[in-house]
């Protein structure tokens, strides 16, 4: 009887102990808190890993949180916007923030970041960047300037690229230029020996002496590439002393003059801005145009997969190549333009610390390199250059040379709108509605009438 | 036996009953229309007026009530006069060439031929109206593509030996927006005019034939006079419709090249939604409302629409 009692008591105690152990083990799970972070990203086939890397980063952050014994876990919900470009996307997102429905994190073109900062929608990051050197310490210092507003840093560079003039060597040779001339063009452009007008001359010779229909093609909508031409002629668009928008009539007219001469010489088509993006690319990559003003990522995203341009470096440079934006006059400075895309965090996010750490992991060398090599965008950290995949993606290594002379679009909250006016000026010139002088006046009048604090010289 | 007092009570009840019935009928029949009118016409106008006095911009925040937007409209916006001029050309051109004239030609020709053939042609002309706008404009973009692949260029180059392809989107953008809108607009006039022509008593045509009237004389002396009221209606209705429409223009030319096809309604859209100047867009939109009301009133007086609404005018007795 006693044995039975002891046995029963032992059994009950064991069961109790096991139950308690199971309960204690389960307690951390029950207390685990999932923090949902919403990420706003434009549906962009040229950069699917911009949001994709943030989703992957959540796994890494969660492991880190687990190791720290934190009960918090992060879950990323991606909210995709169907906007056609980063400008439209930014305008949509500003409205979304305006009605209090903004995301926790968003992806934007760098020049828009101060528009968000001005309205108090975006988190200031200086302290966080200093706090997490393991994530942000080695990002190229030059890239941070693309994320700065007057009082500090408001975004994290996600990628960079380089804008250039691609050219078709075969057509140039057919037009009568010898191989030595054609191959020397990149060096000459970089040293300031090849000028903007010489590009028009070469393009004209191609149009006159070959079957190619076009000399120089550029994007058909508002964007960064053609700003290179304006930069070449000395337009920086921002007064360094005040940070306000600056329009200099003579410099604007000089840049518009280049487009005007291009159209007069029948080198730039009068309907360039009415053509479809894909049609323009097709004309260049199928050998119907001498030059194409665009970005390095077009090779990986379009030229190789869609038009079958040789992916082998040697084979590519046999018939194709690129030059920086040339100098306006001999001995002048060449230009290139990079257009970083950035990650930013909403000012009112409930977990800013976690959001920063999440983006820190998304900026990891391997993840950023995944994005860089699959989309031909330049990386953000020097360590990426050591990755064999990065080295193998030769367009990246070659285009990195252009970063020596590269410029950014101004980080002014009104630049997006000003760029729309500049684009309308180009349209006016190419379609024969305006002369270069009139286009400069048009930009000044339109900007002065619709934008605030524009300095005109 | 009822007394006088009882009769008076019954009469009062009857009157009261009919007054209640009248009120009930009013609420039942006009109530929904009034609610819809207030919700979808008056409220948006009130919102538009309110917004036009604010500095509402990209982030949908109002920091002050201001007259600034109206100052911009009257003082600084140099683009407006060009846009208004273009809108006049677009509305008048589309209306005169297609919505009225071509609609009339379609109605007269398709009612003059055999019924089956007439119905077939009318059906064909209705197709663009039934197609989604994007699809319709995609066909146009292919047709006027400035390359050798474009339909117009294929025809001109192969059949007429044209050397280089034409770029109609750059060289004739206004003509293109008038034609592309007109092809759709003509179908509404066609339907209304066809119904009106069908309403003309047959014996009038027979009598005219007996009197020796030819086809053109019958059209001139019987058909056209009978169509006066439908023509008035189509003119006013389509004018108002064209004033505020820009969907096909946006899809076909995006308002360009430059501002060449930016009509007033599209200009409002571009200012408000492409530049994020919502306050300014609202001020511009208010003028569009005013222009619409003025055009409607002028049309009302000019065409004497009051008489049209009093009695059916299609039938000729």
């Amino acid at each position: 009887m006693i044995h039975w009692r002891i046995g029963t008591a032992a059994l009950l105690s064991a069961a109790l102990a096991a139950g308690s152990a199971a309960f204690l083990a389960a307690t951390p799970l029950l207390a685990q808190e999932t923090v949902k972070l919403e990420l706003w990203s434009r549906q962009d086939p040229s950069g699917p890993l911009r949001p994709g890397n943030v989703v992957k980063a959540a796994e890494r952050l969660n492991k880190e949180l687990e190791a720290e014994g934190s009960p918090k876990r992060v879950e990323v919900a991606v909210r995709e916007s169907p906007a056609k470009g980063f400008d439209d996307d930014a305008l949509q997102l500003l409205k979304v923030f305006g009605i209090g429905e903004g995301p926790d994190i968003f992806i934007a073109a760098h020049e828009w970041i101060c528009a968000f900062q001005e309205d108090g929608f975006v988190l200031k990051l200086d302290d966080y960047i200093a706090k997490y050197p393991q994530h942000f310490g080695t990002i190229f210092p030059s890239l941070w300037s693309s994320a700065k507003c007057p009082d500090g840093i408001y975004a994290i560079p996600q990628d960079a690229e380089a804008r250039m003039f691609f050219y078709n060597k075969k057509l140039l040779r057919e037009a009568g230029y010898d191989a030595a001339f054609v191959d020397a063009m990149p060096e000459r452009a970089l040293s300031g020996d090849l000028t903007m007008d010489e590009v028009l001359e070469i393009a004209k010779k191609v149009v006159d002496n070959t079957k190619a229909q076009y000399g120089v093609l550029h994007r058909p909508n508002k964007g960064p590439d053609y700003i290179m031409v304006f930069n070449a002629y000395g337009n920086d668009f921002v007064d360094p002393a005040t940070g306000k928008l600056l329009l200099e009539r003579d410099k604007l007219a000089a840049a518009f003059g280049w487009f005007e001469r291009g159209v007069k010489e029948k080198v730039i088509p009068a309907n360039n801005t009415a053509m479809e993006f894909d049609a323009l690319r097709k004309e260049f990559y199928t050998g119907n145009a001498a030059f194409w003003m665009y970005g390095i990522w077009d090779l990986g995203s379009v030229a190789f997969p869609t038009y079958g341009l040789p992916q082998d470096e040697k084979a590519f440079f046999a018939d194709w190549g690129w030059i920086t934006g040339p100098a306006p006059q001999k001995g002048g400075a060449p230009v290139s333009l990079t257009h970083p895309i950035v990650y930013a965090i909403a000012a009112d996010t409930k977990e800013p610390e976690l959001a920063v750490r999440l983006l820190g992991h998304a900026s990891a060398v391997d993840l950023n390199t995944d994005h860089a090599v699959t989309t031909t965008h330049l990386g953000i950290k020097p360590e990426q250059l050591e990755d064999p995949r990065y080295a193998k993606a030769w367009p990246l290594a070659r285009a990195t040379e252009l970063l020596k002379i590269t410029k950014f679009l101004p980080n002014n909250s009104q630049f997006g709108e000003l760029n729309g006016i500049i684009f309308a000026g180009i349209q006016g010139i190419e379609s024969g509605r305006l002369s270069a002088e009139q286009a400069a006046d048009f930009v000044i009048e339109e900007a002065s009438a619709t934008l605030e604090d524009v300095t005109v010289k | 036996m009822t007394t006088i007092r009882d009769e008076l009570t019954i009469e009062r009840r009857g009157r009261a009953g009919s007054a209640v019935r009248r009120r009930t009928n009013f609420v039942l029949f006009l109530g929904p229309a009034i609610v819809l009118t207030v919700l979808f016409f008056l409220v948006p106008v009130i919102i538009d007026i309110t917004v036009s006095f604010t500095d509402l911009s990209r982030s949908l925040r109002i920091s002050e009530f201001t007259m600034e937007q109206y100052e911009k409209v009257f003082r600084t916006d140099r683009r407006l006069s060009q846009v208004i001029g273009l809108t006049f050309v677009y509305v008048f051109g589309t209306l005169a060439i297609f919505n009225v004239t071509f609609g009339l030609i379609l109605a007269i020709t398709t009612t003059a031929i055999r019924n089956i053939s007439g119905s077939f042609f009318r059906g064909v002309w209705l197709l663009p109206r039934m197609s989604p706008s994007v699809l319709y404009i995609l066909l146009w973009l292919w047709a006027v593509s400035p390359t050798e692949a474009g339909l117009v260029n294929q025809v001109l180059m192969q059949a007429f030996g044209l050397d280089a392809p034409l770029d109609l989107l750059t060289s004739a953008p206004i003509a293109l927006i008038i034609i592309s809108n007109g092809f759709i607009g003509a179908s509404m006039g066609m339907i209304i005019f066809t119904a009106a022509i069908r309403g003309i008593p047959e014996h009038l045509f027979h009598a005219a034939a007996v009197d020796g009237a030819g086809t053109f004389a019958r059209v001139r002396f019987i058909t056209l006079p009978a169509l006066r009221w439908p023509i008035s209606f189509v003119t006013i209705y389509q004018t108002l419709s064209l004033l505020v429409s820009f969907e096909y223009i946006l899809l076909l030319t995006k308002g360009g090249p430059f501002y060449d096809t930016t009509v007033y309604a599209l200009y409002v859209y571009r200012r408000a939604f492409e530049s994020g100047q919502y306050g300014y867009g609202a001020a511009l939109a208010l003028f569009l409302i005013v222009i619409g009301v003025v055009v409607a009133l002028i049309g009302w007086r000019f065409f004497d629409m009051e008489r049209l609404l009093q009695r059916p005018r299609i039938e000729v007795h």
Side-chain angles (χ1 to χ4, degrees):
Chain A
M1 192 69 175
I2 289 170
H3 284 294
W4 181 83
R5 276 184 190 159
I6 291 171
T8 306
L11 211 65
L12 280 171
S13 303
L16 204 65
S20 304
F23 178 75
L24 285 172
T27 304
L29 283 176
L30 291 174
Q32 195 168 295
E33 180 196 335
T34 302
V35 176
K36 285 191 179 171
L37 293 175
E38 194 177 51
L39 166 69
W40 175 286
S41 167
R42 184 171 81 83
Q43 279 173 352
D44 182 6
S46 75
L49 290 182
R50 286 184 185 124
N53 281 348
V54 181
V55 175
K56 280 186 201 163
E59 291 170 24
R60 298 183 181 190
L61 177 59
N62 286 337
K63 277 185 190 160
E64 199 174 84
L65 291 169
E66 194 181 346
E68 288 167 9
S70 167
K72 290 186 178 175
R73 298 290 181 271
V74 168
E75 190 182 306
V76 177
V78 180
R79 188 167 157 192
E80 285 193 313
S81 118
K84 274 181 97 175
F86 280 108
D87 291 336
D88 290 342
D89 190 56
L91 280 173
Q92 277 189 32
L93 190 52
L94 281 163
K95 279 187 270 181
V96 171
F97 272 120
I99 58 168
E101 297 289 328
D104 297 285
I105 305 165
F106 60 95
I107 296 167
H110 79 96
E111 71 274 18
W112 279 97
I113 203 68
C114 299
F116 290 93
Q117 175 262 340
E118 225 169 56
D119 285 319
F121 295 145
V122 64
L123 187 73
K124 195 175 175 194
L125 295 173
D126 299 69
D127 294 343
Y128 293 105
I129 289 160
K131 190 176 172 186
Y132 294 107
Q134 69 274 32
H135 291 311
F136 307 116
T138 58
I139 290 179
F140 289 118
S142 62
L143 288 179
W144 285 114
S145 56
S146 72
K148 267 183 191 157
C149 294
D151 68 333
I153 294 173
Y154 282 84
I156 298 159
Q158 190 273 331
D159 67 21
E161 30 90 331
R163 308 266 163 171
M164 60 268 282
F165 285 66
F166 291 104
Y167 67 110
N168 183 326
K169 292 182 178 174
K170 226 175 182 175
L171 282 179
L172 266 62
R173 288 195 295 261
E174 261 177 61
Y177 291 103
D178 61 35
F181 177 91
V182 171
D183 293 335
M185 278 171 58
E187 269 309 310
R188 286 186 57 211
L190 204 57
S191 66
D193 181 45
L194 187 78
T195 64
M196 292 291 291
D197 278 341
E198 205 175 335
V199 165
L200 294 181
E201 274 170 37
I202 295 168
K204 180 154 174 57
K205 205 165 165 185
V206 168
V207 173
D208 289 346
N209 297 348
T210 71
K211 280 184 183 172
Q213 209 179 339
Y214 304 111
V216 182
L217 297 176
H218 63 84
R219 69 184 303 131
N221 57 7
K222 185 176 106 171
D225 325 284
Y226 50 78
I227 294 295
M228 253 194 313
V229 178
F230 288 84
N231 287 156
Y233 285 94
N235 296 276
D236 286 328
F237 299 111
V238 164
D239 184 346
T242 61
K244 291 178 183 173
L245 286 180
L246 171 68
L247 295 175
E248 294 167 279
R249 196 180 176 283
D250 292 347
K251 291 177 180 175
L252 278 173
F256 280 127
W258 183 80
F259 288 96
E260 190 180 32
R261 290 192 292 281
V263 176
K264 269 191 191 153
E265 295 290 336
K266 297 194 187 313
V267 161
I268 298 175
N271 63 346
N272 194 124
T273 59
M275 289 164 86
E276 292 294 316
F277 233 126
D278 286 343
L280 285 162
R281 285 167 157 146
K282 189 179 172 191
E283 297 296 350
F284 178 69
Y285 291 126
T286 58
N288 199 17
F291 293 91
W292 167 229
M293 198 193 303
Y294 208 49
I296 185 67
W297 56 273
D298 210 34
L299 291 184
S301 301
V302 178
F304 299 151
T306 309
Y307 291 101
L309 263 65
Q311 290 197 46
D312 173 68
E313 185 175 2
K314 206 174 164 191
F316 175 85
F317 282 108
D319 288 332
W320 305 88
W322 68 70
I323 56 172
T324 61
Q329 289 103 24
K330 290 250 180 217
V335 290
S336 175
L337 190 123
T338 185
H339 185 231
I341 304 301
V342 294
Y343 289 132
I345 297 168
D348 64 351
T349 188
K350 284 177 187 153
E351 295 281 359
E353 193 85 23
L354 283 181
V356 171
R357 290 174 67 183
L358 178 72
L359 293 182
H361 281 289
S363 307
V365 169
D366 60 331
L367 292 186
N368 197 275
T369 302
D370 288 346
H371 163 76
V373 298
T374 52
T375 62
T376 323
H377 282 89
L378 303 184
I380 54 169
K381 295 177 178 176
E383 301 96 289
Q384 288 175 257
L385 298 172
E386 291 155 22
D387 189 314
R389 292 179 300 153
Y390 199 88
K392 200 179 160 196
W394 55 266
L396 296 177
R398 296 287 290 256
T400 307
E401 292 167 11
L402 301 186
L403 291 184
K404 287 180 227 159
I405 53 156
T406 202
K407 291 193 173 203
F408 300 108
L409 296 180
N411 270 24
N412 181 292
S413 63
Q414 297 185 99
F415 184 75
E417 284 163 60
L418 175 63
N419 196 12
I421 298 169
I422 293 167
F423 178 72
I426 293 174
Q427 267 195 322
I429 283 181
E430 291 183 352
S431 58
R433 273 70 174 173
L434 301 174
S435 68
E437 301 287 325
Q438 287 168 334
D441 288 338
F442 163 79
V443 170
I444 289 168
E445 280 170 16
E446 196 87 349
S448 304
T450 57
L451 307 177
E452 286 164 18
D453 290 335
V454 180
T455 309
V456 178
K457 277 187 186 170
Chain B
M1 193 177 170
T2 56
T3 63
I4 292 172
R5 196 175 170 176
D6 291 337
E7 280 172 8
L8 280 172
T9 310
I10 290 164
E11 196 183 322
R12 270 194 217 111
R13 273 185 194 156
R15 272 190 207 150
S18 79
V20 169
R21 199 177 307 124
R22 273 205 302 275
R23 278 192 212 109
T24 313
N25 285 345
F26 179 84
V27 172
L28 275 178
F29 292 114
L30 270 183
I34 289 170
V35 171
L36 290 175
T37 308
V38 170
L39 271 180
F40 294 105
F41 292 93
L42 287 180
V43 171
V45 171
I46 292 165
I47 291 173
D48 185 79
I49 293 170
T50 313
V51 171
S52 72
F53 286 101
T54 68
D55 62 344
L56 191 79
S57 65
R58 294 182 302 212
S59 55
L60 300 178
R61 284 187 175 172
I62 297 171
S63 55
E64 59 172 346
F65 284 88
T66 169
M67 291 291 290
E68 195 186 320
Q69 314 302 353
Y70 289 97
E71 275 177 35
K72 270 191 201 171
V73 174
F74 290 111
R75 286 191 191 169
T76 53
D77 197 333
R78 296 189 180 191
R79 193 89 6 234
L80 262 182
S81 53
Q82 184 201 333
V83 166
I84 291 170
L86 173 72
T87 309
F88 177 77
V89 172
Y90 162 69
V91 172
F92 184 76
T94 314
L95 205 63
I97 301 168
F98 286 96
N99 294 9
V100 176
T101 311
F102 199 61
L104 200 58
I105 291 169
L106 282 172
I108 291 170
T109 49
T110 58
T111 49
I113 57 177
R114 282 198 313 145
N115 201 16
I116 296 175
S117 318
S119 301
F120 172 75
F121 282 113
R122 280 194 297 275
V124 169
W125 275 94
L126 275 172
L127 280 177
R129 194 175 278 279
M130 290 188 277
S131 313
S133 321
V134 175
L135 182 66
Y136 174 70
I137 293 300
L138 272 177
L139 287 172
W140 266 101
L141 285 171
W142 167 62
V144 298
S145 166
T147 63
E148 289 169 19
L151 178 67
V152 173
N153 282 323
Q154 277 185 37
V155 172
L156 291 176
M157 293 173 90
Q158 285 172 20
F160 297 96
L162 188 79
D163 293 336
L166 289 180
D167 181 6
L168 296 172
L169 280 166
T170 304
S171 58
I174 298 165
L176 272 182
I177 63 165
I178 289 177
I179 296 169
S180 58
N181 272 275
F183 269 28
I184 288 184
S187 60
M188 185 189 163
M190 176 190 75
I191 291 170
I192 290 174
F193 299 147
T194 302
I197 292 169
R198 288 270 162 77
I200 302 170
E202 282 273 317
H203 63 80
L204 291 175
F205 292 106
H206 296 313
V210 169
D211 289 344
T215 309
F216 286 104
R218 273 179 278 174
V219 168
R220 187 180 162 192
F221 294 108
I222 300 173
T223 311
L224 288 181
L227 293 182
R228 187 192 154 188
W229 300 106
I231 289 173
S232 307
F233 167 72
V234 169
T235 305
I236 291 181
Y237 183 87
Q238 295 278 44
T239 303
L240 297 176
S241 173
L242 284 167
L243 268 176
V244 295
S245 68
F246 62 87
E247 159 195 8
Y248 296 107
I249 304 173
L250 184 66
L251 290 168
L252 186 62
T253 63
K254 299 180 190 80
F258 195 46
Y259 279 88
D260 286 14
T261 53
T262 301
V263 294
Y264 196 96
L266 180 55
Y267 188 64
V268 176
Y269 171 81
R270 288 176 74 171
R271 283 287 190 218
F273 296 101
E274 286 183 4
S275 305
Q277 300 175 43
Y278 302 113
Y280 187 48
L284 289 170
L286 188 65
F287 284 96
L288 192 58
I289 295 168
V290 173
I291 292 168
V293 170
V294 170
V295 168
L297 289 176
I298 291 172
W300 187 270
R301 284 297 296 269
F302 184 75
F303 293 115
D304 200 5
M305 293 294 282
E306 205 170 347
R307 282 181 64 201
L308 167 69
L309 293 177
Q310 282 167 4
R311 289 176 59 197
R313 294 278 164 177
I314 293 169
E315 288 189 22
V316 180
H317 295 290

